[in-house]
Amino acid sequence: MSYLNTLLFGVYPYIAIAVMVIGTWARYDHGQFTWKAHSSQMLRKKNMVIASVLFHVGVLVIFFGHLVGLLTPHWAYEWLMTPGQKQVMAIVVGGIAGIMALIGGIMLAWRRLNDPRVRASSTIADNLVILILVAQLGLGLATILPTLGHLDGSTMLKFSAWAQGILTLQGGVAGHIADVHWIYKTHIFLGLTIFLLFPFTRLVHMLSVPVEYFGRKYQVVRKRA
């Protein structure tokens, strides 16, 4: 079990990150015409806006919450809040954002799998990635249950030590989360798998920020006579 824990949470993270970075670079360099979200809004707009807003806003809050929460050293915020207070804030904010994203994700998945026009234009990767994201959101919300049993923030500190250890190439980082609940481990493993799949799916559009849009020349659009 110790070997498996080391393999999944000490070795696999580097494999997933390496594939994500190298694969994304290679796709951008050799296949820029495939670098798009493959929007299906023109095929069917019904419930598209509300589902897309719920999903994307929720996912963005969760993403940056994880990014800041896991990678911010304890000393940087201990003057402001305790680990327990940080954990409660994560439960509240993450719970609300998670519910929003899950509802939106289920709506988008249902639309993609059941609308004939959208399904016909979808690839296996399109269907797979939305189902994985919905499953990951569900697992994330499920972690709230064991978290409510220990609100002192000790488990959150373990995850922070693990994530920061991975980022700084420390040895033995898998030991930080060796004894945490299996729901947490499943959530982490699936998250790393999303990193692994990132370069090969539509998720790459997350890196395309339309900065030039704000500085482009004003365009005049006229209706047809």
Side-chain angles (χ1 to χ4, degrees), residues 132-201:
I132 289 178
L133 289 174
V134 168
Q136 179 69 335
L137 290 167
L139 279 172
L141 288 173
T143 62
I144 293 177
L145 296 177
T147 302
L148 293 175
H150 43 77
L151 295 177
D152 58 352
S154 58
T155 302
M156 178 173 285
L157 290 176
K158 292 180 180 180
F159 293 132
S160 295
W162 172 78
Q164 293 167 30
I166 292 293
L167 189 66
T168 55
L169 305 179
Q170 296 178 18
V173 292
H176 290 301
I177 58 174
D179 59 345
V180 300
H181 197 284
W182 65 267
I183 292 181
Y184 296 121
K185 291 187 175 182
T186 307
H187 184 56
I188 292 173
F189 176 78
L190 190 55
L192 293 172
T193 303
I194 292 174
F195 286 175
L196 189 75
L197 298 175
F198 184 89
F200 313 106
T201 66

Side-chain angles (χ1 to χ4, degrees), residues 80-151:
L80 182 63
M81 65 179 71
T82 66
Q85 291 171 331
K86 179 184 176 183
Q87 183 162 312
V88 171
M89 183 176 68
I91 291 174
V92 175
V93 177
I96 294 173
I99 292 172
M100 288 174 56
L102 183 61
I103 293 174
I106 291 175
M107 291 173 67
L108 291 174
W110 178 264
R111 173 179 174 275
R112 183 162 295 279
L113 296 176
N114 288 276
D115 188 290
R117 297 183 69 191
V118 178
R119 186 173 66 248
S121 67
S122 301
T123 64
I124 295 177
D126 292 337
N127 297 332
L128 180 64
V129 74
I130 188 62
L131 292 176
I132 289 178
L133 289 174
V134 168
Q136 179 69 335
L137 290 167
L139 279 172
L141 288 173
T143 62
I144 293 177
L145 296 177
T147 302
L148 293 175
H150 43 77
L151 295 177

